[in-house]
Amino acid sequence: MRDYLIDKRYLILIDDIWSVSAWELVRSALPLNDNGSRIITTTRSKAVAKSCSTGIAEQMYEAKPLGDDDSQRLFFKRLFCSPEDCPQDLMKVSSDILKKCGGLPLAIISIAGLLANRRQTVEVWVNTLKSISAAVDKDSHIDKMKRILLLSYFDLPPHLKSCLLYLSVFPEDYLIDCRQLILLWVAEALIPGQDRESMEEVATSYLNDLINRSLVQPVKVGADGATVKTCRVHDVILEFIVSKAVEDNFVTIWNRNGFSDNYSSNKIRRLSIQEDISGQAEEMMKTLKNAAHIRSISIFGDNNSVLGKHASEFLSSQVLRVLNIRGGGVGEFYLGHVKRISQMKYCRITDGTQDLPEDIEKLQHLETLDIFDTGIRKLPASIIQLQRLVRLRVDPEVQLPDGIGNLQALEELSTIDLGFQSVKFIQGLGDLINLKVLEIFWQCDTVGRDVEGHKKACISSLTKLFTRLRQLSVVGWLDATFPFMSLCGGTPPPLQRLVLSIWNKSSAVPHQISSLLNLTRLYIGLSGEVSKEGINILASLPILLSLTVFLDDKEGDSGVFHPRHAINSQGFQRLVKFTFRCWSEAVLEFEPGAMPKLQMLKLDLRARCQFKYGDGGLVLGLQNLAGLKHVALSIKCEAATADEVDSLEDDIRGAAGLHHNRPIVQVERWCLRFDGTRVQQATIRTS
């Protein structure tokens, strides 16, 4: 980095530095070159701040608490949308509560989250004020924050406390997949009930409750505006959660601070390894002598040298329910030993190289098996005896055994390349009466043996499944007639999400899509043209919320999104998110009234086409998208001049600047290496 920056003028922001030594190491890589460069750092430590503020032109800014007006605005926005909506009898006690928060934003949000779940009466709020006063008077800002969090914690019902404490297994700043979190809560028996499906619904309500209380931050929200896909925990809140989880011996943690204080406990219930443990391997193994009570193991990062060597110690608990290994280099860790753990419900692992044990059928409680990206190429025949298996995720190249129809509990199956499977396996797919989610590769014209028999079996099974699937992803060279989309009895299929990536030359939008009246999300990838008829088919879907159109140029032809053919005000009435990826040549135009509820527009365009169609460039009518809030532009720079690239970016920024909503614009420039990977040409710029 130092060599790269030595002659450049640079601006670098480094967030949340924890120690002086860390700063000194980073600082050594940033050259002083008299080019007017700037370094901005943030920290919660005044000692670190002072260390960062010595030298030429350095200065320290200490963030001040919010003023009264900003505190009130933040507080009321969380509870009432605006101060004007607050009942008059609550104004005085609100002011007193805010004084106790001391202008600390996280404290204000936490107390607002606590009050959001209580009755809006003076008596209730005065009692809350008394609790805050008893907790925070004469405290420092940090102590005050922690005590307010303690109030929020004790206000939780027992079931929410356990779910909140479970978040301590994730590292700081970790982006948590909400779907996986829900499955983990269920597997850990933190959710009451007997029926798995209803338990998952309850778990979803618990997560939403924690979000409403401002203890968990939503990061990515679905197109419906309600489903939270990913979340994270604020680092101050996570510190508090970890301290409570360790205090209650809920979890034992290894992170950058070493082992948590309870690592020598006689009963380790949950083990979370969040950093490289190679330097502490022997101490860890001594700790695992107390592993008989471990219910779950979560491992993040690269720990292959230790895990491969000590697999038997890690997997010695007969009550283990969860094995969640995220990161590189797992190697032999689980493959030869997982068969010992008969109570396991959830197994998710990345980066292994060996086969699963032949007697995997002993895991009769297993509900989730995710071995995607492990290098495993064949599953043992006994896997079809896992009668409780609900979710199976493998690499596309994996060969599955015949008899898949025996897995009657199976609801999710991905990602299967039908070209690697036998005709008998494909026939068995149609017998999965509970299957709701299916992801497949289908190269129906490239199967080596018995092409017609293979194709016939594929069509037969997909036709059966199409009447009950909720999500379907099909990628490959497909029969242009899409016979498996035929309807039964005229009733629209229940399909809600569809991915169709069609590699055939001159492929088109299948007309059958117009009958998918329950579709809310659609991704369609084509090697050819989207005609006016194709646009009308897509526009006719009545409840479509998210649409992605990808035009590839695999055959060297010019796929065209009908140059100057506008998207008009007919159709797309509920669309919230539209992604247009065009690696061929295209112009996109929006007429007045087009996509009236669209909020997010993502564009991935080739700059070399910028001047081909005259004034206006590749995207016209941006100002006609009345609800637009965010534009993300990804510019493909191959074979383009600097003027073409700059002009494309300037056009989008200019149109967004004139839009009445002043949408956020995010721009990324990139090109392809010879190996097909993307290389970013410039830093992402947002305005």
Side-chain angles (χ1 to χ4, degrees):
M1 180 183 286
R2 186 177 182 84
D3 291 342
Y4 177 76
L5 295 175
I6 194 69
D7 59 349
K8 292 180 173 61
R9 184 171 186 243
Y10 61 84
L11 169 64
I12 290 181
L13 169 62
I14 307 165
D15 185 43
D16 200 15
I17 301 175
W18 279 58
S19 66
V20 172
S21 61
W23 160 245
E24 290 174 345
L25 181 61
V26 171
R27 184 68 182 86
S28 68
L30 305 175
L32 291 171
N33 54 20
D34 269 340
N35 284 341
S37 298
R38 290 292 183 269
I39 305 166
I40 302 172
T41 66
T42 71
T43 180
R44 280 184 276 148
S45 166
K46 187 165 285 190
V48 174
K50 289 180 178 178
S51 175
C52 296
S53 304
T54 56
I56 303 172
E58 276 87 349
Q59 58 182 335
M60 181 174 72
Y61 172 77
E62 188 168 357
K64 301 296 189 293
L66 297 181
D68 291 344
D69 289 344
D70 287 331
S71 294
Q72 190 179 76
R73 190 176 296 112
L74 180 62
F75 183 72
F76 287 133
K77 182 179 179 181
R78 175 66 183 82
L79 287 165
F80 304 112
C81 295
S82 71
E84 291 74 23
D85 295 326
C86 177
Q88 281 300 313
D89 58 343
L90 294 178
M91 291 297 292
K92 175 63 170 63
V93 66
S94 297
S95 178
D96 293 339
I97 288 173
L98 287 173
K99 287 178 182 177
K100 295 299 180 182
C101 291
L104 298 175
L106 190 57
I108 294 169
I109 291 171
S110 297
I111 290 299
L114 187 154
L115 290 172
N117 292 277
R118 295 184 175 182
R119 289 183 294 112
Q120 293 180 0
T121 66
V122 174
E123 181 182 4
V124 170
W125 283 34
V126 166
N127 287 336
T128 302
L129 173 63
K130 291 177 181 178
S131 299
I132 299 171
S133 299
V136 305
D137 279 350
K138 299 181 180 180
D139 275 337
S140 67
H141 282 337
I142 295 297
D143 288 338
K144 183 178 294 186
M145 184 66 252
K146 290 180 179 178
R147 290 184 181 277
I148 286 176
L149 288 174
L150 199 62
L151 287 177
S152 296
Y153 176 75
F154 284 127
D155 186 61
L156 296 175
H159 59 269
L160 282 186
K161 286 180 181 176
S162 297
C163 291
L164 183 69
L165 292 182
Y166 191 80
L167 299 176
S168 61
V169 307
F170 298 103
E172 182 183 339
D173 294 327
Y174 190 82
L175 202 60
I176 303 170
D177 184 310
C178 294
R179 174 62 177 158
Q180 296 303 317
L181 176 61
I182 286 167
L183 298 180
L184 287 166
W185 280 348
V186 172
E188 291 265 19
L190 301 180
I191 308 299
Q194 298 296 323
D195 177 65
R196 181 191 50 77
E197 194 166 335
S198 62
M199 290 168 69
E200 291 178 14
E201 293 176 0
V202 171
T204 301
S205 71
Y206 286 2
L207 177 59
N208 290 335
D209 200 345
L210 291 175
I211 291 172
N212 290 336
R213 293 171 182 265
S214 301
L215 295 171
V216 174
Q217 299 174 326
V219 176
K220 183 177 181 181
V221 180
D224 61 2
T227 304
V228 181
K229 294 184 173 182
T230 59
C231 65
R232 64 160 50 101
V233 183
H234 190 286
D235 53 0
V236 174
I237 295 178
L238 182 62
E239 279 185 20
F240 169 80
I241 293 172
V242 168
S243 68
K244 288 299 298 178
V246 170
E247 177 185 320
D248 295 348
N249 198 31
F250 186 90
V251 66
T252 301
I253 298 171
W254 167 264
N255 57 24
R256 62 183 165 196
N257 299 317
F259 282 109
S260 54
D261 293 338
N262 64 335
Y263 83 95
S264 59
S265 167
N266 290 329
K267 287 186 179 181
I268 298 177
R269 293 189 172 91
R270 295 172 184 85
L271 178 63
S272 177
I273 300 174
Q274 302 174 1
E275 298 280 336
D276 180 16
I277 61 171
S278 55
Q280 301 284 336
E282 297 308 318
E283 187 174 358
M284 172 67 78
M285 292 313 112
K286 292 177 183 177
T287 300
L288 288 176
K289 290 180 180 179
N290 302 321
H293 300 279
I294 291 183
R295 299 167 62 90
S296 74
I297 297 175
S298 301
I299 302 176
F300 304 88
D302 190 347
N303 282 288
N304 57 319
S305 59
V306 177
L307 302 183
K309 183 179 178 181
H310 298 283
S312 59
E313 289 96 329
F314 276 97
L315 299 176
S316 60
S317 172
Q318 295 185 4
V319 296
L320 189 69
R321 295 187 179 202
V322 169
L323 184 60
N324 185 25
I325 304 180
R326 313 300 299 153
V330 178
E332 301 178 9
F333 172 62
Y334 61 99
L335 299 176
H337 304 279
V338 73
K339 58 187 178 183
R340 303 176 184 175
I341 312 161
S342 61
Q343 299 300 311
M344 188 156 60
K345 288 189 172 185
Y346 181 101
C347 181
R348 189 181 188 206
I349 308 171
T350 59
D351 193 19
T353 56
Q354 296 190 9
D355 293 333
L356 293 176
E358 290 297 328
D359 54 351
I360 195 172
E361 80 279 359
K362 293 179 180 178
L363 302 181
Q364 281 298 311
H365 294 276
L366 192 63
E367 295 180 354
T368 298
L369 178 59
D370 185 342
I371 51 173
F372 186 80
D373 200 21
T374 58
I376 294 174
R377 291 294 174 263
K378 188 176 182 180
L379 298 188
S382 62
I383 198 168
I384 65 172
Q385 299 178 38
L386 297 178
Q387 295 302 307
R388 298 186 185 181
L389 192 64
V390 177
R391 288 162 290 272
L392 177 60
R393 185 168 183 247
V394 299
D395 286 331
E397 298 84 2
V398 169
Q399 182 179 353
L400 283 85
D402 295 340
I404 189 73
N406 291 338
L407 297 177
Q408 288 296 292
L410 201 64
E411 295 181 7
E412 301 177 21
L413 179 60
S414 63
T415 303
I416 310 299
D417 190 333
L418 297 183
F420 286 92
Q421 315 307 328
S422 69
V423 170
K424 189 172 181 181
F425 169 85
I426 297 171
Q427 290 171 339
L429 277 179
D431 297 329
L432 296 173
I433 60 174
N434 290 305
L435 198 66
K436 298 177 182 177
V437 179
L438 177 62
E439 296 181 13
I440 59 171
F441 284 87
W442 185 12
Q443 303 178 35
C444 64
D445 293 329
T446 60
V447 180
R449 61 182 187 275
D450 191 14
V451 174
E452 287 304 314
H454 197 278
K455 183 177 178 180
K456 184 177 179 180
C458 289
I459 293 173
S460 175
S461 288
L462 285 176
T463 301
K464 292 178 183 177
L465 293 172
F466 204 68
T467 62
R468 46 184 181 259
L469 287 173
R470 299 294 188 274
Q471 298 181 37
L472 174 63
S473 174
V474 184
V475 178
W477 285 275
L478 307 176
D479 187 324
T481 63
F482 295 92
F484 63 87
M485 285 191 182
S486 58
L487 300 180
C488 295
T491 303
L495 199 67
Q496 298 170 356
R497 299 183 182 183
L498 175 63
V499 173
L500 276 182
S501 189
I502 308 165
W503 296 346
N504 310 41
K505 185 177 180 180
S506 301
S507 51
V509 176
H511 68 85
Q512 295 95 327
I513 285 181
S514 62
S515 60
L516 303 180
L517 302 184
N518 293 304
L519 213 59
T520 60
R521 297 184 62 181
L522 173 62
Y523 174 107
I524 184 160
L526 304 171
S527 293
E529 174 183 309
V530 178
S531 64
K532 181 177 180 180
E533 180 187 2
I535 295 174
N536 291 337
I537 290 171
L538 301 178
S540 69
L541 297 169
I543 61 173
L544 192 66
L545 300 175
S546 175
L547 171 65
T548 297
V549 176
F550 177 27
L551 296 183
D552 202 353
D553 193 15
K554 291 177 183 276
E555 303 296 332
D557 294 339
S558 295
V560 179
F561 196 74
H562 254 61
R564 302 296 184 184
H565 182 83
I567 295 177
N568 58 35
S569 59
Q570 304 301 312
F572 298 120
Q573 293 300 298
R574 297 182 63 178
L575 198 69
V576 176
K577 179 181 178 182
F578 178 40
T579 301
F580 180 57
R581 301 180 63 197
C582 183
W583 292 5
S584 55
E585 299 177 1
V587 168
L588 192 59
E589 183 174 359
F590 301 99
E591 286 186 352
M595 299 181 174
K597 294 186 178 180
L598 191 75
Q599 298 180 18
M600 177 69 180
L601 176 64
K602 300 180 74 173
L603 302 167
D604 191 344
L605 304 172
R606 272 186 171 173
R608 67 177 174 83
C609 306
Q610 171 68 4
F611 298 139
K612 183 170 183 177
Y613 300 101
D615 293 340
L618 299 179
V619 182
L620 306 173
L622 210 64
Q623 72 277 6
N624 294 322
L625 299 173
L628 193 62
K629 296 181 179 179
H630 195 130
V631 180
L633 172 64
S634 183
I635 303 175
K636 192 177 181 186
C637 301
E638 284 97 344
T641 66
D643 286 345
E644 288 170 329
V645 173
D646 291 340
S647 175
L648 176 53
E649 178 173 343
D650 291 345
D651 279 354
I652 299 299
R653 289 192 182 279
L658 295 174
H659 195 286
H660 64 276
N661 288 343
R662 296 302 297 269
I664 295 170
V665 179
Q666 186 176 17
V667 179
E668 176 189 21
R669 300 179 179 188
W670 63 276
C671 66
L672 289 179
R673 283 196 183 104
F674 290 113
D675 62 3
T677 58
R678 290 166 65 120
V679 182
Q680 194 167 314
Q681 293 291 296
T683 54
I684 293 175
R685 291 176 285 177
T686 304
S687 63

